Amino acid sequence: IVAVEDPMRVTVQNLGIGNHDAGQMDNGIDLLQTSTGKPAMVTYDNLSVFGMYQKQPLRKGLWLQGLGPDVTVHIGHVQGNLHLVDSAQATVLANTTYEGSVVVEGKGKEREGFFGILTRLGTITTYPLIVKDNHSFVASDFYIEQADHGISLQGGPDDPPGRVTFSAPKFHFSALEEGAANIPISLDNYRGQFFLGATQFYIEPVRGQLQAQGDRPLEMFLMGSPFYNTGLVVEQSPGLDLFIIGCQRIPPEAGEYDAADQMAEDTLSKLVPALDDWRRLGEVDMRLNHPAAAPR
């Protein structure tokens, strides 16, 4: 347990708490950071927690809970589950993280902070990314391979609008038991905007599902994404408004998804928030990783 006091700069480094052996420890959470509401800067580097190859996204891992606007968390390198609860007021940047799942949740309504990931690898997971309660998230390089499913975005009737901006070099999924379908994208009453791309959907499954349900308004933008020997079956919900730009199937006859552009010149301005998110991710990167070169 890390309890931060004012003023304090904490570095947690070279620590292995859990690995892919699920039977080693029975602790509920590997490492929990909470806050007194006072300013703090906490850095994690070369930290290993539970989650690698476990397909248990909600178990153990590194938890950041109840962090306020004066808290900055800088994750250099962490392996395993990463779980944020009611920390949408804090600034959280992850440089390079591996395996397990990223989970973001919490019913708090104040969400002026920032959570971004520069590079992450997620393999052999259920959902590499789960965003609950309509939270926001930004990633510039989130590689997914041999997973059961992809991204799960969830929201409730009282949650404020959120925005997820997500770029992945690769979306690849392992075949499930006969009769079970891979779901690259699951949308359950998430409200706001979801930007996905550029992302290569790769080979497996032949017919991946974009599974949407709920009537809360969601604009989804699929941008610059090739479908290599695969397709996407879109399950349209009442609240989903899907925009497509710069996508293609390779070869053209593969799959069932028509990736023709659906955005006109007068709607291209809708992409601006995604560019702003990636710009802000770059600004936080410069400030925390390259302070000498950061704008003053």
Side-chain angles (χ1 to χ4, degrees), residues 3-293:
V4 297
E5 300 291 344
D6 179 27
M8 181 171 282
R9 300 178 70 90
V10 175
T11 300
V12 180
Q13 192 171 22
N14 301 326
L15 181 62
I17 299 175
N19 57 24
H20 58 274
D21 184 356
Q24 281 194 343
M25 301 178 69
D26 292 327
N27 51 292
I29 297 174
D30 291 321
L31 184 61
L32 169 65
Q33 178 184 335
T34 60
S35 175
T36 61
K38 299 178 180 179
M41 170 73 183
V42 180
T43 301
Y44 298 96
D45 199 18
N46 197 20
L47 172 65
S48 176
V49 294
F50 177 89
M52 183 177 183
Y53 306 153
Q54 289 306 305
K55 296 188 179 183
Q56 299 181 70
L58 304 181
R59 187 182 179 197
K60 299 187 179 183
L62 170 62
W63 284 53
L64 309 177
Q65 185 166 336
L67 304 186
D70 293 327
V71 176
T72 298
V73 178
H74 185 198
I75 299 172
H77 173 267
V78 170
Q79 174 183 289
N81 288 341
L82 181 58
H83 200 139
L84 275 69
V85 181
D86 278 325
S87 294
Q89 288 287 88
T91 296
V92 181
L93 177 71
N95 292 358
T96 304
T97 60
Y98 286 85
E99 307 303 1
S101 296
V102 175
V103 178
V104 189
E105 64 176 322
K107 287 298 185 180
K109 300 298 188 286
E110 296 182 348
R111 304 179 177 186
E112 288 76 33
F114 181 80
F115 176 32
I117 288 181
L118 297 175
T119 301
R120 183 169 178 86
L121 170 70
T123 63
I124 312 180
T125 63
T126 50
Y127 281 95
L129 174 66
I130 300 173
V131 178
K132 299 182 177 182
D133 306 312
N134 238 92
H135 277 272
S136 298
F137 174 74
V138 181
S140 62
D141 184 349
F142 198 126
Y143 184 100
I144 296 174
E145 186 175 87
Q146 301 178 71
D148 290 350
H149 310 293
I151 298 174
S152 173
L153 306 184
Q154 308 167 25
D158 299 326
D159 298 328
R163 186 168 70 238
V164 171
T165 301
F166 189 97
S167 180
K170 187 177 183 181
F171 259 29
H172 171 265
F173 306 96
S174 295
L176 302 177
E177 295 180 2
E178 186 174 355
N182 301 100
I183 305 172
I185 303 164
S186 175
L187 308 173
D188 186 358
N189 246 343
Y190 187 88
R191 176 188 173 195
Q193 293 179 312
F194 175 31
F195 296 90
L196 177 60
T199 298
Q200 178 180 229
F201 290 78
Y202 187 75
I203 297 182
E204 189 73 42
V206 174
R207 299 174 71 253
Q209 293 187 12
L210 191 166
Q211 189 177 82
Q213 59 182 354
D215 55 7
R216 302 181 79 210
L218 171 64
E219 291 183 324
M220 177 180 169
F221 301 84
L222 188 57
M223 310 175 295
S225 296
F227 292 80
Y228 183 76
N229 280 328
T230 185
L232 192 64
V233 179
V234 179
E235 178 184 304
Q236 185 71 43
S237 69
L240 178 62
D241 197 358
L242 179 62
F243 296 88
I244 301 167
I245 181 170
C247 299
Q248 60 180 321
R249 292 186 295 181
I250 306 170
E253 65 274 9
E256 299 180 3
Y257 178 56
D258 182 3
D261 291 354
Q262 298 176 2
M263 296 193 71
E265 290 186 8
D266 61 347
T267 58
L268 289 177
S269 60
K270 288 179 174 288
L271 301 179
V272 170
L275 303 179
D276 288 342
D277 283 343
W278 282 318
R279 183 182 297 111
R280 186 176 182 190
L281 179 64
E283 291 171 351
V284 178
D285 174 27
M286 291 292 289
R287 176 162 58 86
L288 296 183
N289 290 312
H290 313 283

